[in-house]
């Protein structure tokens, strides 16, 4: 019984890794739609989010079943509770990718990002996607050092967010209110994806050590 129980626990973390992979694709494809004005890709991101939602429900069902049937304690309980928090964060990252795709679709046949903001937005998107990829490895390897390092690297995204606001509020801005709102929202979406990635990584630290990383 205990061996089967721990197999189920390992299965939950395998599912979390798979969901993280789906989120990575969602971030990448949403960015592709955003920067190219590709309505088909945007629609695909929005449609595929149902698979992430369904995967989250499966993790929830398994975790709650283990809680009710096995009544875990100590480290096992910590794993299950953390998994519930992590899958919620991952689903939200998928939702944020959908928000990016919806902005892309809304501006078709135009592109939502003005040319001068494109380098900053591309870098924000790359940073977000890289953090999702890294957090997937952290989940698989239960790598505490990599998780802590990810939290420190989140400052890169914060700097990019500040840069986007600087460009947005420049006296040279000539793209109107609609584009300004788009850029402000997009910056927020990518920043939040990174924040959720850090939160998931922190939960891995908690699973392994019993403690959350200290806040800066």
């Amino acid at each position: 019984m205990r061996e089967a129980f721990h197999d189920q626990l390992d299965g939950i973390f395998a599912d979390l890794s798979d969901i993280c992979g789906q989120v990575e694709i969602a971030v990448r494809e949403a960015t592709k739609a955003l920067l190219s004005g590709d309505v088909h890709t945007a629609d695909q991101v929005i449609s595929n989010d149902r698979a992430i939602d369904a995967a989250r429900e499966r993790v929830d069902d398994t975790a709650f079943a283990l809680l009710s049937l096995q009544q875990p304690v100590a480290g096992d309980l910590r794993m299950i509770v953390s998994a519930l928090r992590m899958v919620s964060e991952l689903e939200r990252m998928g939702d944020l990718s959908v928000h990016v795709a919806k902005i892309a679709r809304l501006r078709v046949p135009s592109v939502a990002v003005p040319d001068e903001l494109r380098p900053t937005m591309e870098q924000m998107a790359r940073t977000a996607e890289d953090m999702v990829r890294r957090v997937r490895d952290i989940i698989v390897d239960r790598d505490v050092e990599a998780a802590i390092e990810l939290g420190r690297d989140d400052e890169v995204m914060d700097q990019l967010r500040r840069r986007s606001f600087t460009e947005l509020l420049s006296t040279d801005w000539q793209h109107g209110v609609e584009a300004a709102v788009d850029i402000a929202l997009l910056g927020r979406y990518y920043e939040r994806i990174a924040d959720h990635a850090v939160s998931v990584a922190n939960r891995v630290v908690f699973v392994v050590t019993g403690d959350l990383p200290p806040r800066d």
Side-chain angles (χ1 to χ4, degrees):
M1 286 291 291
R2 294 300 296 173
E3 184 176 345
F5 171 59
H6 283 103
D7 285 344
Q8 288 176 297
L9 281 180
D10 289 339
I12 287 177
F13 271 75
D15 289 341
L16 291 174
S17 173
D18 289 342
I19 296 170
C20 204
Q22 291 175 274
V23 170
E24 182 183 354
I25 292 170
V27 174
R28 180 167 61 249
E29 293 300 294
T31 301
K32 175 183 173 182
L34 177 70
L35 297 176
S36 66
D38 184 343
V39 68
H40 173 73
T41 300
D43 285 339
Q44 199 69 43
V45 172
I46 295 166
S47 175
N48 289 347
D49 189 56
R50 290 195 293 269
I52 295 176
D53 294 341
R56 183 256 170 93
E57 290 176 7
R58 289 194 297 271
V59 170
D60 282 349
D61 290 346
T62 303
F64 285 124
L66 291 177
L67 283 172
S68 62
L69 297 175
Q70 300 292 339
Q71 298 181 347
V73 296
D76 292 340
L77 178 61
R78 192 164 67 232
M79 285 183 67
I80 296 173
V81 172
S82 294
L84 288 168
R85 292 288 298 272
M86 291 160 69
V87 76
S88 177
E89 303 269 9
L90 291 171
E91 182 193 34
R92 184 59 186 144
M93 292 157 75
D95 292 341
L96 289 162
S97 301
V98 168
H99 293 337
V100 173
K102 285 183 175 179
I103 288 181
R105 187 176 65 176
L106 186 64
R107 301 305 170 211
V108 171
S110 299
V111 175
V113 181
D115 287 343
E116 59 266 40
L117 265 294
R118 193 179 181 96
T120 300
M121 201 56 58
E122 287 177 340
Q123 194 171 352
M124 291 188 82
R126 282 196 303 270
T127 301
E129 184 182 340
D130 179 65
M131 292 181 75
V132 177
R133 178 189 57 76
R134 290 165 63 191
V135 87
R136 183 182 187 185
D137 293 339
I138 288 166
I139 291 171
V140 171
D141 299 332
R142 315 276 175 92
D143 190 333
V144 170
E145 290 185 7
I148 293 172
E149 183 180 356
L150 186 73
R152 292 174 182 147
D153 290 350
D154 187 44
E155 175 61 23
V156 173
M157 181 64 85
D158 294 339
Q159 291 173 356
L160 290 168
R161 174 83 162 135
R162 288 192 289 271
R163 184 198 300 174
S164 72
F165 267 115
T166 299
E167 295 170 331
L168 185 62
L169 298 174
S170 168
T171 55
D172 296 332
W173 182 260
Q174 299 176 355
H175 303 285
V177 174
E178 186 176 84
V181 171
D182 285 347
I183 294 302
L185 288 174
L186 289 165
R188 180 60 174 163
Y189 297 153
Y190 284 120
E191 181 186 42
R192 289 301 295 153
I193 289 170
D195 289 343
H196 285 298
V198 171
S199 183
V200 171
N202 287 345
R203 286 288 153 187
V204 173
V205 175
F206 180 65
V207 166
V208 175
T209 69
D211 295 306
L212 288 168
R215 294 181 182 271
D216 291 335

